[in-house]
């Protein structure tokens, strides 16, 4: 493991971490490549459903599946992240997603949309395993002093690639068509897996030998995790922030965004360019918000909790700016403000969990 074993009171700098920690650098490079394809895929699949069906309900179904799949797989994802070598788990999910997204090339008619739904469920279920494992692996490859910087970089990268990848994906789909985006997405998963292979870890799975590899052992571990949450209500409350935001705000608004792009402010084929720009605006907000806020909060518990409270007000303000649909500029401005709120909530709730939750139930 390439980390500094000395724990100091000084917070690690971003460039210091990237330059000095090879394992984190490779994890970060893999994330950049993989996320670029992810946002190509999101814009392309939404635009494809809109083009084939012209149905708001069909588009809503796509985003519902994108939300439901990680939720359904989450019990297995957490157990796998705590029982399997996390590096190999990340590589396996990348390879499987590379194969899955190529199946989107077969969706050529409205009667094939069911196949897109099935493949989307598989892809997002695999992503639902990948992301908890990537979060759980951070304390394995960075020191505690580096953890805050690592989490901030990881989250900011998600946002930056959302802004860049969604805008680029929207422009590509609007200019050249939808199907090339799926090929690009598949290639990025392969590239990510190749990069992650270079991570050097001499770490046994956290619970290897403790509960065995039987189904009964996995179920027991999951029940133990639920028991941990029941006896630590503060951790349960922190862990629910992202889930509730995704279910009641982000998930619903994803459907609304498609309708705005497709019917109100149409730029590019089927509104794919305007949809890409909306996602890009959200990415700008989610990227800038936590980086700026961390100047004031550091990795301190109480300031991060306060930032989470502020995040709800900012998210609400962003939605209020968007709601009247005055013009596309106001939609983009509101998306940035909403993104700042979402970024604060996402980054600081994750940071608190990484700092407070023991390794045995981290996944």
């Amino acid at each position: 493991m390439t980390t500094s074993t000395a724990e100091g009171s000084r917070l690690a700098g971003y460039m210091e971490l990237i330059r000095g920690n090879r394992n984190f650098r490779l994890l970060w490079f893999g994330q950049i490549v993989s996320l670029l394809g992810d946002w190509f895929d999101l814009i392309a699949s939404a635009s494809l459903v809109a083009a084939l069906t012209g149905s708001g309900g069909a588009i809503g179904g796509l985003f519902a599946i994108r939300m439901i799949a990680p939720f359904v797989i989450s019990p297995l994802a957490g157990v796998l992240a705590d029982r399997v070598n996390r590096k190999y788990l990340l590589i396996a999910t990348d390879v499987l997603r590379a194969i899955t997204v190529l199946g989107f090339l077969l969706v050529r008619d409205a009667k094939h949309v069911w196949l897109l739904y099935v493949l989307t469920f598989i892809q997002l279920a695999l992503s639902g395993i990948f992301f908890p494992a990537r979060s759980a692996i951070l304390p394995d490859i960075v020191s505690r002093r580096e953890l805050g910087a690592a989490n901030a970089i990881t989250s900011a990268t998600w946002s930056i690639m959302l802004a860049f990848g969604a805008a680029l994906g929207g422009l590509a789909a609007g200019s050249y068509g939808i199907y090339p985006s799926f090929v690009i997405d598949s290639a990025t998963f392969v590239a990510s897996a190749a990069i992650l292979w270079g991570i050097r870890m001499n770490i046994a799975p956290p619970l290897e030998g403790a509960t065995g590899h039987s189904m009964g052992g996995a179920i027991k571990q999951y029940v133990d995790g639920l028991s941990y949450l029941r006896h630590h209500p503060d951790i349960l409350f922190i862990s629910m922030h992202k889930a509730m935001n995704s279910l009641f705000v982000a998930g619903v608004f994803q459907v609304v965004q498609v309708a705005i792009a497709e019917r109100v402010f149409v730029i590019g084929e089927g509104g794919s360019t305007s949809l890409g720009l909306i996602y890009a605006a959200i990415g700008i907000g989610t990227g800038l918000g936590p980086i700026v806020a961390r100047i004031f909060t550091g990795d301190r518990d109480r300031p991060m909790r306060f930032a989470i409270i502020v995040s709800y007000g900012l998210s609400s303000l962003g939605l209020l700016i968007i709601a009247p649909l005055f013009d596309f500029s106001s939609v983009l401005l509101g998306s940035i403000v909403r993104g700042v709120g979402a970024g604060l909530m996402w980054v600081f709730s994750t940071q608190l969990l990484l700092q407070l939750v023991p390794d045995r139930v981290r996944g």
Side-chain angles (χ1 to χ4, degrees):
M1 179 169 60
T2 310
T3 62
S4 171
T5 57
E7 297 292 336
S9 58
R10 181 177 64 86
L11 296 177
Y14 300 119
M15 292 307 299
E16 173 191 352
L17 172 61
I18 293 171
R19 287 196 303 261
N21 190 319
R22 179 181 181 275
N23 280 342
F24 176 77
R25 189 165 61 248
L26 289 173
L27 183 69
W28 182 52
F29 287 165
Q31 179 190 18
I32 291 172
V33 173
S34 180
L35 284 176
L36 176 64
D38 275 346
W39 297 119
F40 262 72
D41 173 87
L42 173 63
I43 302 300
S45 58
S47 299
L48 181 59
V49 172
L52 292 179
T53 68
S55 167
I59 298 168
L62 174 68
F63 283 102
I65 290 170
R66 293 183 70 93
M67 276 198 312
I68 291 170
F71 175 78
V72 171
I73 204 67
S74 60
L76 175 62
V79 171
L80 285 174
D82 287 336
R83 292 169 64 85
V84 178
N85 184 296
R86 289 162 182 158
K87 167 187 169 179
Y88 296 137
L89 184 60
L90 293 174
I91 293 171
T93 52
D94 263 343
V95 172
L96 291 173
R97 286 186 292 174
I99 296 170
T100 300
V101 297
L102 288 178
F104 290 135
L105 298 174
L106 301 176
V107 180
R108 301 281 175 167
D109 189 85
K111 64 184 179 182
H112 299 148
V113 169
W114 68 268
L115 176 60
L116 185 143
Y117 287 164
V118 172
L119 293 171
T120 297
F121 184 91
I122 295 171
Q123 179 193 358
L124 270 293
L126 291 167
S127 295
I129 296 173
F130 181 90
F131 292 118
R134 191 180 65 197
S135 294
I137 204 175
L138 279 179
D140 294 336
I141 63 175
V142 303
S143 67
R144 183 171 180 82
R145 185 177 68 85
E146 297 171 325
L147 187 56
N151 181 55
I153 291 172
T154 298
S155 300
T157 300
W158 183 93
S159 304
I160 292 168
M161 295 313 298
L162 166 57
F164 180 70
L168 191 59
L171 289 171
S175 302
Y176 304 109
I178 292 168
Y179 293 102
S181 299
F182 298 133
V183 178
I184 293 172
D185 190 22
S186 178
T188 59
F189 285 130
V190 174
S192 174
I195 293 170
L196 293 174
W197 185 263
I199 293 177
R200 298 169 184 168
M201 295 176 60
N202 296 316
I203 305 172
L207 295 180
E208 187 172 30
T211 58
H213 296 290
S214 66
M215 179 61 70
I219 293 173
K220 180 181 184 301
Q221 184 181 341
Y222 182 66
V223 172
D224 288 344
L226 294 178
S227 177
Y228 177 86
L229 291 175
R230 182 167 61 86
H231 289 94
H232 297 81
D234 179 55
I235 300 299
L236 173 62
F237 184 71
I238 294 171
S239 69
M240 291 300 292
H241 282 296
K242 289 189 286 189
M244 293 300 99
N245 179 74
S246 297
L247 183 61
F248 295 111
V249 181
V252 174
F253 197 70
Q254 281 182 339
V255 180
V256 176
Q257 287 169 181
V258 176
I260 292 173
E262 183 192 12
R263 302 177 185 178
V264 184
F265 303 109
V266 183
I267 306 173
E269 181 183 339
S272 55
T273 300
S274 46
L275 180 61
L277 292 174
I278 292 173
Y279 272 105
I282 296 171
I284 292 170
T286 56
L288 291 178
I291 293 295
V292 174
R294 190 168 177 263
I295 297 174
F296 303 99
T297 65
D299 296 333
R300 294 170 293 160
D301 187 288
R302 290 182 65 85
M304 286 194 289
R305 292 174 188 266
F306 180 74
I308 292 174
I309 296 173
V310 172
S311 75
Y312 285 97
L314 289 171
S315 295
S316 300
L317 176 61
L319 292 173
L320 288 175
I321 295 173
I322 295 170
L325 297 178
F326 289 128
D327 52 39
F328 194 51
S329 296
S330 67
V331 171
L332 295 180
L333 174 62
S335 297
I336 291 174
V337 175
R338 188 178 79 83
V340 171
L344 293 179
M345 182 274 299
W346 194 274
V347 171
F348 290 126
S349 61
T350 300
Q351 179 67 21
L352 287 169
L353 291 175
L354 288 174
Q355 292 181 177
L356 298 174
V357 176
D359 179 77
R360 63 184 176 85
V361 291
R362 195 192 307 151

